[in-house]
Amino acid sequence: MIKFIKKHKIYVLTFITPILLYFIILFVKHIYPFGNIANIAYDENLQYEQFFNFYYNVLHGSSNINYSLYKSLGGSLVGLWGYYLASPINLILLFFNEMNVLNFVFLATSIKIGLCSLFFAVFIKYRFKKLKDIHVLMLAVAYSFTQYVVGQMANIMWLDGVYMLPLLLYFTEKYLNDNKKLGLYITFILTIIFNWYTGYMNCLFTFIYFVYRLICIEHDKNKHINKLNLFKKIVKFGFIELLSVLGSAVIFLPIVISQLNSRSFSTTNLFEFSTNGSFFNIFRGFMIGSENPSTAITLYCSIFAFILIFYYIFYKKINSFEKKTTLIFALIMIFSLFFKPLEYIWHGMLSVNSFQYRFLYVCILTVLLLPAAILNKNEKLDKELVKKIIFGSILAFLAFDLLIRFSPKRLWVQIVILLLYYFIICLFKKDKFKMPLIFTLFMFEILINAYLLVGNSYTLDKDYYLNYSANEKKMINQIKNSDNDFYRIETNIDRDIKRNSFISNESLAYSYSTIEQYTSTYDQTTGYFLANLGYSRNVFPTFYHEPILPVDSLLGVKYLLTDVNYDGFELRKEFNSYNGKKVYENEYALSLGMNSSSDILKVKYNGNPFEYINEIYSGILGRNIQLFKLYDITENKIDSLNYEYNTNQDNNSNIIYFRFNLAPSEITIKRDNNLEEKYESYWLTHNVLVLGNDSEKHTLKVKNIDKSKYELQFYSFDLELFESIISEIKENSINFEKIEDGNIKFIASGEYALLTIPYSDSWNITINGKKTEPLKGADGLLVIPLSDEVNHVNMKYKVKGKELGLFVTILSACVFTIFCIFDNKLFNKKVNS
């Protein structure tokens, strides 16, 4: 082992060094495990930690990826696994207990950062043969611990693409030099499997890189370019890459099919000319501590690398053709960040709403090729050129500061570090100390950049997080221990302890069925259905703000974890209160399925959730049901943008609900004596909200509403009628024998069985042994036509694409093997001749 380490010490150092830098930043920022701030931020806090808890349960056999009733109304989690969880590093969850997500995140992030540096070192050392080890280490750290990796550390699943990219380029170089294809083929497959999203970016970049390198190599060998020969080699490489994509089909194809019902491709503005700011602002992105994620283009990869990038541009002793080709390649990549249609292409034809420039790491790698080429020459730097670059850069940064202000501290830190590099490179006399001083300054600026970049991103208290998680599990377990039937649980208070929060996947973490969902791999059918019912206005994400009693009951929401006593929910005093929440039970909650008339198949959303709910219940019972009726409320106009509404107290128990037909962003509402709250128009969109029981007087104050554009609708919900309807539905309920993830059995009679799970043709359904196709009812739910007097229904969910994917993978491997045999014979003939 010691001999191995000594022989490969540069690779050991490149793996360990960025991990140590990571430790230092966590220590200085008091972030776990070196402080009391949890090491999760952004979506890692809002989403991923819940996914990691779920995956822990999957790995330990208590949850299911193929189909889970814990994913909103139910659905396949293959797409979610492929996007968030497919990394092999996530398998270390096997060795943690379910309360140790923070430890897992710490270890997984450390490993991924180390691999980014290690694989970049492997690539750069092979690509530039004369690089000194200390230069390899500096470049590897510049790639693995700067803008993208530190800035996107919370998007841990994208780091798989960062460490796989240089490995792909290493095998691309091996292919260019020695016609070695197997490593390239396998690495392409793995990068797609580990994370298909960054895998797509890696495949696209690797192809462009191959073309660039092929042009350089062909010109260097022959002093000219044979276009036909070049075209043949490009086609051959493209064929290998295509075979690799097909080779990943055993995993990738089921993911693709699953994703087809998720977020749609955005091609609306794909070819519309638009840019991300000014092209000259890209220079600003080389400023130390430039924010990432950000809407600004940030290419900082050390000030030392920045100096060498411009040194490469102005240095005259580099082969003219190679320099022009390299700069064109670099400009293409930088222009991809600047020109929006190209940005859309890199994002997989998607217009992203957050975390812009998700492919930034491929551009950082590209610009690092320029300092690598300079350092590979092993020549003393031209002091006069370095002087011009450093002082020219200082003047440029000061000029840009006059146009749009930098942070003063960051600007002067940048200038001081530039001057220190000038002093060491140009003025310091003792050559043997120059490189150690440059390396020390380089490491110092990398740490300063990371310190500024992390900023105050991490704010969650570790002890609070752990206590909340432990208490929430206790709360859910006490319900499960007392009730073995199928039901759904909802809450409008989560770890943020506020009514409106993005944390909406706790059902996956704590293993219970629910309604809301917040994941980039959501099901559109479910999203539209829940939005149409009035829970939220957006299809993505779907949030549960508060109960809509007839909808909660229809969907089997039996328990509500909250601090407010809503109509229709009764406090369960025997249950303990945790995390500021009590357990309320909905006595009207239905089971997973019910008998229905054929009218349920005709129900369509007409733009009004109140009427839609009426139609659903009418469809179930086969007659006209009017649970919701327009409510005539007293309106008092305070001024042109502010109104007050007062209910007319009646001697009944009807519940008053309201909504805006559109959701302007500036509206605020105040219900009775409660606090003012926003009626959101974007991510956390509100739709139907409750005002109160009509047996009491209620007041709604609305601010900043333009009545010429927006209508406020009030509806009265007939609770007495609803009670009789629920009793009728329960009398004709379905007898469930088994309700498990992807496996449901029940006995039913009647015309149709309506299940409150999303419609999907992936269900394999048999009735009394005969195969039956599912139907869509209520514009989103699964309906099964019944035929006999007694129907024994057996449902099994089958993930599409598994068998076909396996066949395509085997076929790809066979074709690749045959291709290699014939191609190697041709290659050997050329070499021998």
Side-chain angles (χ1 to χ4, degrees):
M1 178 61 74
I2 295 174
K3 287 183 180 180
F4 177 86
I5 292 173
K6 284 183 178 180
K7 184 178 179 181
H8 301 283
K9 62 181 178 182
I10 182 57
Y11 297 122
V12 175
L13 281 172
T14 54
F15 180 75
I16 292 175
T17 301
I19 295 177
L20 291 177
L21 294 177
Y22 175 53
F23 290 179
I24 292 170
I25 290 299
L26 294 181
F27 178 79
V28 172
K29 288 288 187 179
H30 308 293
I31 298 171
Y32 184 82
F34 305 109
N36 205 47
I37 301 173
N39 57 331
I40 50 177
Y42 303 124
D43 282 351
E44 196 166 45
N45 171 31
L46 300 176
Q47 294 178 289
Y48 311 156
E49 70 89 14
Q50 296 147 59
F51 300 158
F52 295 144
N53 272 305
F54 169 76
Y55 197 40
Y56 169 89
N57 292 330
V58 170
L59 293 175
H60 288 82
S62 59
S63 290
N64 197 323
I65 284 176
N66 290 340
Y67 190 91
S68 177
L69 290 165
Y70 302 151
K71 181 191 178 185
S72 188
L73 297 183
S76 174
L77 284 157
V78 168
L80 184 144
W81 175 81
Y83 185 67
Y84 295 104
L85 300 170
S87 170
I89 293 171
N90 291 342
L91 294 176
I92 62 177
L93 277 166
L94 278 166
F95 306 105
F96 290 94
N97 67 47
E98 57 189 324
M99 298 302 293
N100 260 335
V101 167
L102 299 185
N103 287 332
F104 161 74
V105 169
F106 169 68
L107 182 57
T109 305
S110 301
I111 293 171
K112 290 188 180 186
I113 289 173
L115 290 177
C116 291
S117 181
L118 172 62
F119 291 159
F120 187 83
V122 170
F123 158 64
I124 210 77
K125 193 169 175 63
Y126 183 82
R127 166 76 176 81
F128 298 97
K129 309 289 186 185
K130 298 178 183 178
L131 273 179
K132 294 179 180 177
D133 283 353
I134 194 166
H135 294 150
V136 171
L137 177 58
M138 291 171 70
L139 291 168
V141 171
Y143 176 71
S144 65
F145 204 71
T146 48
Q147 238 43 30
Y148 186 88
V149 174
V150 176
Q152 301 284 10
M153 222 154 36
N155 288 310
I156 190 172
M157 69 280 186
W158 293 342
L159 298 187
D160 290 275
V162 184
Y163 70 71
M164 288 301 293
L165 179 62
L167 200 59
L168 267 175
L169 300 185
Y170 166 74
F171 284 112
T172 300
E173 291 288 340
K174 295 277 283 184
Y175 172 74
L176 283 163
N177 292 330
D178 305 315
N179 200 37
K180 301 291 185 182
K181 295 180 280 292
L182 182 60
L184 186 65
Y185 174 74
I186 292 174
T187 310
F188 267 130
I189 291 174
L190 293 179
T191 194
I192 295 168
I193 290 174
F194 291 176
N195 184 275
W196 63 263
Y197 190 49
T198 55
Y200 160 79
M201 298 172 193
N202 286 356
C203 290
L204 180 57
F205 177 79
T206 304
F207 184 81
I208 298 170
Y209 176 85
F210 171 79
V211 174
Y212 147 69
R213 285 288 292 139
L214 182 63
I215 290 171
C216 290
I217 290 170
E218 288 293 306
H219 187 272
D220 186 52
K221 283 182 180 178
N222 307 313
K223 306 305 176 188
H224 72 281
I225 301 294
N226 184 320
K227 293 180 181 178
L228 180 60
N229 189 44
L230 187 76
F231 176 75
K232 288 179 180 178
K233 290 183 177 181
I234 291 172
V235 169
K236 190 169 80 168
F237 184 84
F239 181 64
I240 294 171
E241 191 164 341
L242 175 62
L243 286 177
S244 301
V245 174
L246 297 176
S248 69
V250 64
I251 300 294
F252 184 47
L253 186 60
I255 293 170
V256 169
I257 294 173
S258 176
Q259 288 289 91
L260 290 176
N261 191 38
S262 186
R263 301 173 74 173
S264 57
F265 290 100
S266 173
T267 56
T268 308
N269 302 313
L270 186 57
F271 298 107
E272 178 184 325
F273 184 90
S274 57
T275 61
N276 293 309
S278 166
F279 191 75
F280 292 103
N281 282 341
I282 291 170
F283 184 86
R284 297 174 62 90
F286 286 101
M287 172 67 67
I288 192 169
S290 296
E291 290 183 2
N292 185 20
S294 169
T295 56
I297 297 170
T298 55
L299 284 168
Y300 172 91
C301 47
S302 85
I303 296 171
F304 180 65
F306 168 77
I307 294 167
L308 293 182
I309 288 166
F310 283 92
Y311 191 95
Y312 181 92
I313 293 171
F314 295 113
Y315 191 54
K316 295 179 180 178
K317 295 183 181 179
I318 296 175
N319 178 284
S320 175
F321 182 84
E322 180 183 336
K323 177 188 277 191
K324 288 177 183 177
T325 309
T326 300
L327 291 179
I328 289 170
F329 170 56
L331 282 172
I332 288 171
M333 294 311 305
I334 293 171
F335 202 68
S336 296
L337 296 165
F338 172 68
F339 190 43
K340 277 191 174 293
L342 291 179
E343 183 194 348
Y344 290 151
I345 292 171
W346 280 99
H347 287 146
M349 309 303 176
L350 285 171
S351 175
V352 298
N353 297 313
S354 59
F355 301 112
Q356 204 166 348
Y357 317 122
R358 300 175 183 189
F359 62 102
L360 180 65
Y361 68 96
V362 308
C363 301
I364 289 176
L365 185 146
T366 302
V367 298
L368 280 172
L369 295 175
L370 278 60
I374 292 296
L375 294 172
N376 189 54
K377 289 185 169 296
N378 278 323
E379 298 175 356
K380 287 186 178 181
L381 296 176
D382 185 326
K383 294 180 181 179
E384 192 61 31
L385 180 55
V386 170
K387 177 181 176 181
K388 289 178 180 178
I389 290 169
I390 289 175
F391 284 98
S393 298
I394 291 172
L395 290 173
F397 281 118
L398 289 171
F400 274 104
D401 185 57
L402 292 174
L403 297 173
I404 304 174
R405 289 288 182 184
F406 290 110
S407 161
K409 288 182 180 179
R410 296 182 186 191
L411 174 61
W412 289 107
V413 168
Q414 182 93 357
I415 290 172
V416 168
I417 292 174
L418 280 166
L419 290 173
L420 286 173
Y421 275 120
Y422 167 70
F423 173 77
I424 296 170
I425 295 170
C426 300
L427 301 180
F428 197 75
K429 300 297 184 182
K430 296 182 179 180
D431 288 346
K432 69 176 182 178
F433 293 117
K434 276 191 177 184
M435 199 59 237
L437 285 172
I438 288 173
F439 179 77
T440 303
L441 181 56
F442 166 81
M443 295 298 286
F444 174 76
E445 62 150 312
I446 288 292
L447 274 171
I448 290 294
N449 176 70
Y451 179 86
L452 294 171
L453 199 54
V454 169
N456 297 316
S457 303
Y458 295 83
T459 58
L460 178 63
D461 182 87
K462 179 258 296 184
D463 290 334
Y464 167 74
Y465 165 78
L466 293 175
N467 288 334
Y468 177 91
S469 299
N471 287 334
E472 199 68 8
K473 195 161 188 66
K474 290 177 184 176
M475 173 165 267
I476 299 301
N477 284 342
Q478 68 179 343
I479 297 173
K480 286 184 173 182
N481 292 336
S482 69
D483 192 338
N484 294 322
D485 291 337
F486 176 84
Y487 48 83
R488 292 187 170 105
I489 300 172
E490 259 304 344
T491 179
N492 57 2
I493 304 176
D494 50 43
R495 185 158 35 82
D496 273 355
I497 307 299
K498 57 185 180 183
R499 293 266 179 265
N500 304 311
S501 169
F502 283 94
I503 300 176
S504 301
N505 299 297
E506 289 191 347
S507 62
L508 291 174
Y510 306 116
S511 303
Y512 63 86
S513 298
T514 188
I515 289 178
E516 63 182 353
Q517 58 175 335
Y518 176 31
T519 160
S520 294
T521 59
Y522 69 92
D523 295 328
Q524 279 195 356
T525 300
T526 306
Y528 277 111
F529 179 68
L530 293 174
N532 294 343
L533 285 169
Y535 284 116
S536 61
R537 200 172 299 273
N538 273 0
V539 177
F540 165 78
T542 300
F543 296 116
Y544 183 96
H545 297 285
E546 57 191 43
I548 307 170
L549 185 57
V551 186
D552 283 40
S553 303
L554 173 72
L555 300 179
V557 179
K558 188 175 182 180
Y559 297 101
L560 180 62
L561 313 180
T562 186
D563 60 352
V564 177
N565 192 350
Y566 293 97
D567 283 307
F569 289 83
E570 183 180 347
L571 176 64
R572 291 286 299 269
K573 294 180 181 179
E574 70 274 23
F575 288 141
N576 293 325
S577 175
Y578 294 100
N579 295 327
K581 295 179 272 192
K582 299 176 181 177
V583 178
Y584 290 85
E585 183 176 350
N586 174 11
E587 61 180 306
Y588 306 109
L590 298 171
S591 184
L592 185 64
M594 63 213 72
N595 290 322
S596 174
S597 77
S598 60
D599 292 348
I600 197 67
L601 303 173
K602 304 171 188 175
V603 174
K604 298 291 180 184
Y605 179 63
N606 67 353
N608 185 316
F610 300 108
E611 295 176 4
Y612 183 43
I613 296 165
N614 285 342
E615 288 296 316
I616 291 175
Y617 277 96
S618 299
I620 292 170
L621 295 174
R623 64 179 188 273
N624 185 27
I625 301 293
Q626 293 294 306
L627 289 171
F628 282 105
K629 294 179 182 178
L630 277 168
Y631 182 77
D632 187 16
I633 197 166
T634 302
E635 178 184 281
N636 298 310
K637 181 177 180 181
I638 299 172
D639 56 43
S640 60
L641 295 176
N642 298 293
Y643 292 80
E644 182 177 293
Y645 298 88
N646 296 289
T647 62
N648 305 310
Q649 186 173 0
D650 294 323
N651 294 320
N652 57 47
S653 58
N654 290 352
I655 305 171
I656 310 303
Y657 292 88
F658 69 94
R659 74 184 285 266
F660 295 89
N661 65 332
L662 289 174
S665 58
E666 299 300 322
I667 282 183
T668 58
I669 61 174
K670 183 175 182 180
R671 291 178 274 184
D672 295 332
N673 294 319
N674 296 320
L675 295 174
E676 242 181 30
E677 55 187 314
K678 289 183 179 179
Y679 189 96
E680 301 280 355
S681 65
Y682 191 45
W683 289 84
L684 288 165
T685 54
H686 294 83
N687 200 343
V688 171
L689 296 179
V690 64
L691 184 54
N693 196 293
D694 200 21
S695 61
E696 302 172 349
K697 294 201 73 172
H698 298 281
T699 300
L700 175 67
K701 293 180 180 179
V702 182
K703 291 183 179 179
N704 301 318
I705 177 171
D706 185 347
K707 291 294 291 291
S708 65
K709 296 181 180 179
Y710 308 110
E711 177 190 359
L712 182 53
Q713 301 170 338
F714 290 88
Y715 277 79
S716 173
F717 172 67
D718 191 332
L719 187 56
E720 187 176 341
L721 173 62
F722 179 65
E723 289 175 351
S724 65
I725 287 171
I726 290 297
S727 296
E728 184 178 346
I729 293 173
K730 285 184 175 181
E731 284 177 6
N732 298 303
S733 61
I734 290 172
N735 180 22
F736 283 95
E737 297 177 314
K738 179 187 287 187
I739 300 178
E740 295 177 352
D741 289 340
N743 189 357
I744 300 172
K745 292 181 180 180
F746 62 89
I747 301 172
S749 59
E751 198 174 359
Y752 291 90
L754 170 67
L755 273 63
T756 53
I757 57 176
Y759 166 80
S760 172
D761 59 3
S762 293
W763 284 102
N764 184 1
I765 303 172
T766 59
I767 300 178
N768 297 331
K770 298 178 182 177
K771 186 173 174 57
T772 303
E773 295 299 323
L775 304 173
K776 182 189 286 189
D779 218 13
L781 296 179
L782 189 138
V783 175
I784 301 172
L786 305 176
S787 54
D788 300 326
E789 185 175 339
V790 178
N791 300 270
H792 293 267
V793 182
N794 192 351
M795 301 171 55
K796 290 188 177 179
Y797 189 87
K798 186 177 182 181
V799 175
K800 289 184 178 179
K802 277 187 174 181
E803 291 81 1
L804 179 59
L806 178 60
F807 171 77
V808 172
T809 293
I810 295 171
L811 181 63
S812 167
C814 293
V815 172
F816 176 75
T817 302
I818 296 168
F819 169 76
C820 287
I821 292 170
F822 284 98
D823 185 68
N824 288 342
K825 286 183 179 179
L826 291 173
F827 180 78
N828 291 331
K829 283 183 181 179
K830 289 180 182 178
V831 171
N832 294 330
S833 61

